Amino acid sequence: MLIELDTIHFVWWIYLWSILSIDFINTINETESNQICHSLANDEVEAQGSNELNILAVGLTRKHLLLITKDFHVYELAKGSLDSSINRLYLNAKPTPMSVKYPTLFESSRFNTIKTQLFNGFFIIDKTTDWLCITTWDKKTDEGGIKYDLINDKVQSGYRFVGDQEEVLISTKESCMFYSLRHSQKNNGLEIAIYKCQGNKIKMTHPFRLICYGDKQKMTIIIKNYNEICKNDAIEWPILNGFVADDRFYLLDKTDVQIFSEDAYKKANKPVSIDKRKYSSFFVCPGSISESFFAKNRSFLIIMMIILFILSFILCCILMIRVENHPIFRRHFGKTMRSVFRFRKRTADLTIDEDISKTEATSNTPTSLLLDHRPKLIFNPFNRIKFLPTTRSLKFDCRPKILSKHHIVSKIKINRTKINKKLYSKRYLKILL
């Protein structure tokens, strides 16, 4: 079977494209951007040789989810990049150096003064704009913090933390509000409080409350009411950063991402479940496939498989049609096909000759044997009615001239040169009766 070369090339290009696509998905290109992403998705947090998370600030703005690393790269992600149904953050944007993304901030003298003494980074949404707030701690420097207007591209004086105990500030989507986490001085358990901005200051509006495990198996947590203590073990996660999105806390510690509902804070003493994720499972870098990729895209993959199957079937049909109509195919196989048709025609002619021989043989057989062939020839009430109309005599209707115009003579092509016309009319008259 011969196929045109361009068709063969087309098929091979399809297979080659499929193989290269699969290989591209499973291969990680170690570019600078991917190195930054994989440094975040590392299960053991190491940034510049220290046991710290390479995240300066992460949280929601009006339009995006922003993540800024400590080496000053900016991920500007769509809000849909965070899939709260499976707790995955897809870092599907290329990180941009802060010097390119926010040159006004990066080149400001105030930022260059404090960028080696940063204490906390978080986002604030107020009534007019979005702010990136970078604070300092008065125990380490006398310099104040900085506020950067993300929408209007302006740098302003920011906040300086004056507390005695180190705290981690957690961004939220609420207007001018964020959480603060610290470890209790009594039992080293984790505590949580709410801060709000008031003019040029940030003040605590709700005191710290203790975070405890809700059961002995440590599968749930409870945030106690004010001045209450834990009935089970107190939580001692080493939280380094975090944010709130889709009514969930995403708290980043040294090894895991701790995820639980915000209802734990809003409803005191209500146990909520904990979902613990490794960084390699929570952060999904471009070119990598998470463990739930196929489960998440099951419907899409099934549709693609069906489409590919249909296209393959159509391609096979087209190839078959082109092969049968190809000049070389007709030249080599046309004679064979014509011989098959001729063979069938000769077989049909032999069958007709055998029927004629049988008809001749009936002239010398008794009437009882001829009646055995009656169903084959005329045992049909419609033919009987057609051959024997009531307005004509039987003798007139059974003449050979009349019979030659109807079903019997048309079905059996009788060779009149071999059959006696008189014998034929007499014998078949008996059959009709």
Side-chain angles (χ1 to χ4, degrees):
M1 183 179 296
L2 300 176
I3 306 175
E4 293 183 0
L5 291 178
D6 56 346
T7 305
I8 298 175
H9 292 161
F10 176 73
V11 175
W12 276 109
W13 272 114
I14 292 177
Y15 280 102
L16 183 61
W17 175 82
S18 302
I19 294 171
L20 291 177
S21 299
I22 295 172
D23 185 68
F24 176 78
I25 291 175
N26 293 315
T27 303
I28 299 174
N29 185 15
E30 293 296 333
T31 61
E32 181 181 0
S33 60
N34 280 328
Q35 289 176 0
I36 296 172
C37 182
H38 290 292
S39 70
L40 300 173
N42 189 3
D43 288 336
E44 294 183 0
V45 177
E46 294 182 0
Q48 299 178 354
S50 61
N51 192 20
E52 295 180 359
L53 182 66
N54 186 25
I55 294 179
L56 173 63
V58 56
L60 296 175
T61 62
R62 280 177 167 82
K63 296 181 179 180
H64 302 98
L65 191 154
L66 293 180
L67 187 152
I68 302 176
T69 65
K70 288 185 177 180
D71 52 0
F72 306 119
H73 286 82
V74 180
Y75 279 96
E76 187 177 75
L77 307 171
K79 290 185 177 181
S81 300
L82 175 65
D83 192 338
S84 57
S85 63
I86 58 175
N87 294 325
R88 298 287 189 275
L89 178 56
Y90 294 88
L91 301 177
N92 47 18
K94 184 178 179 180
T96 306
M98 184 182 286
S99 59
V100 177
K101 184 67 176 176
Y102 306 131
T104 303
L105 170 63
F106 190 79
E107 296 171 2
S108 66
S109 58
R110 183 178 295 274
F111 177 76
N112 284 278
T113 301
I114 66 172
K115 68 180 182 180
T116 59
Q117 301 171 344
L118 304 180
F119 178 63
N120 267 314
F122 57 96
F123 297 97
I124 292 180
I125 302 173
D126 63 13
K127 295 180 180 179
T128 58
T129 188
D130 302 332
W131 298 93
L132 168 61
C133 298
I134 300 175
T135 63
T136 56
W137 193 7
D138 65 346
K139 285 188 175 183
K140 295 182 178 180
T141 180
D142 293 333
E143 298 290 337
I146 194 171
K147 288 170 57 179
Y148 175 64
D149 190 336
L150 294 167
I151 296 178
N152 300 307
D153 191 26
K154 295 180 180 180
V155 178
Q156 297 182 9
S157 298
Y159 309 107
R160 183 173 60 176
F161 182 67
V162 295
D164 296 330
Q165 188 177 353
E166 188 173 0
E167 299 180 14
V168 177
L169 304 182
I170 305 298
S171 306
T172 72
K173 64 178 182 179
E174 300 296 331
S175 177
C176 217
M177 186 200 93
F178 52 94
Y179 291 98
S180 177
L181 294 170
R182 73 179 186 184
H183 288 279
S184 172
Q185 294 179 340
K186 295 180 179 180
N187 59 4
N188 202 36
L190 199 62
E191 297 179 322
I192 186 169
I194 288 181
Y195 283 82
K196 289 188 177 181
C197 49
Q198 298 178 357
N200 295 326
K201 296 183 178 181
I202 293 177
K203 293 185 177 181
M204 182 186 298
T205 58
H206 297 76
F208 281 96
R209 296 159 55 186
L210 201 58
I211 305 176
C212 313
Y213 284 109
D215 57 282
K216 294 182 179 181
Q217 291 74 26
K218 299 183 179 182
M219 301 297 293
T220 60
I221 69 166
I222 289 178
I223 297 180
K224 305 299 292 186
N225 212 334
Y226 304 105
N227 300 321
E228 290 186 356
I229 61 174
C230 295
K231 294 182 179 179
N232 296 305
D233 294 337
I235 288 179
E236 300 179 359
W237 298 329
I239 303 300
L240 303 175
N241 213 311
F243 64 101
V244 176
D246 296 333
D247 299 322
R248 292 187 179 188
F249 284 97
Y250 294 86
L251 303 182
L252 314 178
D253 64 23
K254 291 182 178 181
T255 57
D256 303 293
V257 182
Q258 309 289 347
I259 306 166
F260 56 92
S261 173
E262 197 176 4
D263 287 342
Y265 184 89
K266 294 179 179 179
K267 300 177 182 179
N269 293 312
K270 177 183 178 181
V272 297
S273 60
I274 308 170
D275 186 8
K276 181 186 295 186
R277 297 283 181 178
K278 292 292 184 181
Y279 284 109
S280 59
S281 177
F282 179 73
F283 292 109
V284 182
C285 298
S288 62
I289 302 177
S290 66
E291 61 187 10
S292 62
F293 175 81
F294 293 102
K296 179 185 174 183
N297 299 281
R298 187 186 303 274
S299 301
F300 174 77
L301 293 174
I302 291 174
I303 293 173
M304 288 300 298
M305 290 178 63
I306 293 173
I307 293 174
L308 290 175
F309 175 79
I310 294 173
L311 292 176
S312 301
F313 178 77
I314 294 173
L315 180 61
C316 291
C317 293
I318 293 173
L319 292 176
M320 292 177 64
I321 293 172
R322 294 190 67 178
V323 167
E324 291 181 357
N325 294 329
H326 200 280
I328 299 176
F329 178 84
R330 291 198 301 268
R331 188 184 308 140
H332 285 275
F333 299 96
K335 294 181 180 180
T336 304
M337 296 175 67
R338 287 194 296 270
S339 63
V340 171
F341 294 146
R342 290 172 182 173
F343 174 76
R344 291 179 178 177
K345 184 177 180 181
R346 287 198 300 270
T347 304
D349 293 340
L350 291 174
T351 304
I352 293 173
D353 293 340
E354 290 178 359
D355 292 339
I356 294 173
S357 300
K358 291 179 181 179
T359 305
E360 294 176 350
T362 55
S363 60
N364 298 322
T365 55
T367 304
S368 60
L369 295 177
L370 289 174
L371 292 175
D372 294 338
H373 297 277
R374 190 172 181 178
K376 183 176 181 180
L377 294 174
I378 62 164
F379 191 65
N380 188 338
F382 298 99
N383 287 342
R384 188 176 181 87
I385 293 172
K386 185 175 181 180
F387 292 146
L388 301 175
T390 55
T391 58
R392 297 182 182 181
S393 64
L394 181 63
K395 182 178 179 181
F396 177 79
D397 290 336
C398 295
R399 289 183 301 171
K401 184 177 180 180
I402 300 301
L403 287 174
S404 64
K405 295 182 180 180
H406 292 84
H407 179 72
I408 298 174
V409 179
S410 62
K411 286 291 183 180
I412 306 174
K413 297 179 181 180
I414 302 174
N415 189 349
R416 287 191 170 91
T417 60
K418 296 181 180 181
I419 301 176
N420 190 308
K421 295 183 179 180
K422 294 182 180 181
L423 179 62
Y424 170 79
S425 60
K426 290 181 181 181
R427 293 298 183 186
Y428 278 81
L429 178 60
K430 293 182 181 180
I431 295 172
L432 292 174
L433 294 175

